Amino acid sequence: MSLKSKQSGIAMVEVMVTVAIITIGVSGMGMLLIRAIQGTQDSSQHSQAMWIVQDFIGRMRANPEGARASDYVLDPADIDCNTPPNVQCAATPAGNAANCDASLAQMATYDKWITTCGISDTIYDSPADFVTNPQLTSECTQLSARASSYNFQPDCIQYRVTLNWQSKHTQGAINEDDRTNINEYSMIVEFN
């Protein structure tokens, strides 16, 4: 009789070790994929936030007299998305840009409304539709000593335009508010 025996096949212990190593590797890849998707979404929302702020500043620069008259001061609580402004100076279903003779204040009112609300609730027509709970604010941060020829008040020569939005990050928190992260993007615009 030979004391030497041949091993044939794979022992159960080897199979279990292999399964454990593969399980750890696959779960790590899954977590990596989840983090990559979350990072892509956060980057996308940050890009949309930049676009919203820059679009609003572009609208202000297109109406500098209205901006200097502080018509672009915006508090999100003052905007009602269910009630569009009376004068819509753009090529929208309700407005006709060719026949528009709106005042500077009416143009500012429309600009604030369209940037915050968009045209329709049934289609995605505004960048704000792609940002979670956007809150656009605009405040006059510096007044000039000279009086405006438009409203005879001191000119607003500097605005801070800010967009706040939410993203979910912390999963281990018990309360919903603790799982939410508030993001902010802001720019300063000056008028002379």
Side-chain angles (χ1 to χ4, degrees):
M1 264 193 176
S2 168
L3 293 174
K4 224 181 200 184
S5 65
K6 290 183 176 179
Q7 180 182 0
S8 63
I10 301 174
M12 187 56 111
V13 173
E14 291 171 335
V15 171
M16 303 259 315
V17 168
T18 303
V19 168
I21 291 172
I22 290 174
T23 303
I24 290 169
V26 169
S27 66
M29 291 295 288
M31 290 302 293
L32 182 64
L33 182 62
I34 288 171
R35 294 288 182 208
I37 291 171
Q38 186 179 30
T40 301
Q41 182 180 10
D42 290 346
S43 176
S44 172
Q45 287 196 357
H46 192 266
S47 295
Q48 291 294 330
M50 288 182 353
W51 194 90
I52 292 167
V53 169
Q54 290 173 356
D55 177 62
F56 189 69
I57 287 173
R59 291 174 183 275
M60 292 169 71
R61 287 185 174 147
N63 184 5
E65 293 85 9
R68 283 193 293 272
S70 298
D71 291 337
Y72 281 90
V73 172
L74 172 62
D75 181 0
D78 296 339
I79 300 292
D80 179 13
C81 289
N82 297 321
T83 308
N86 294 333
V87 177
Q88 295 187 11
C89 291
T92 66
N96 185 353
N99 299 330
C100 187
D101 59 349
S103 71
L104 300 175
Q106 289 171 323
M107 288 172 63
T109 300
Y110 174 77
D111 289 342
K112 292 187 289 189
W113 181 80
I114 196 71
T115 304
T116 304
C117 302
I119 296 172
S120 173
D121 289 339
T122 58
I123 58 172
Y124 295 116
D125 63 344
S126 170
D129 293 332
F130 300 99
V131 178
T132 308
N133 298 326
Q135 295 291 313
L136 182 67
T137 59
S138 176
E139 58 184 337
C140 180
T141 55
Q142 187 174 353
L143 293 171
S144 171
R146 70 175 184 246
S148 170
S149 59
Y150 172 63
N151 67 356
F152 307 109
Q153 299 294 321
D155 278 347
C156 179
I157 57 172
Q158 186 180 68
Y159 282 88
R160 177 186 167 107
V161 180
T162 304
L163 183 74
N164 293 315
W165 72 98
Q166 295 178 340
S167 61
K168 305 235 181 222
H169 282 292
T170 310
Q171 296 176 352
I174 296 172
N175 297 330
E176 175 75 20
D177 293 337
D178 295 337
R179 290 189 296 257
T180 303
N181 186 28
I182 304 296
N183 301 293
E184 179 179 294
Y185 179 78
S186 64
M187 288 181 70
I188 301 290
V189 61
E190 294 184 351
F191 297 91
N192 48 358

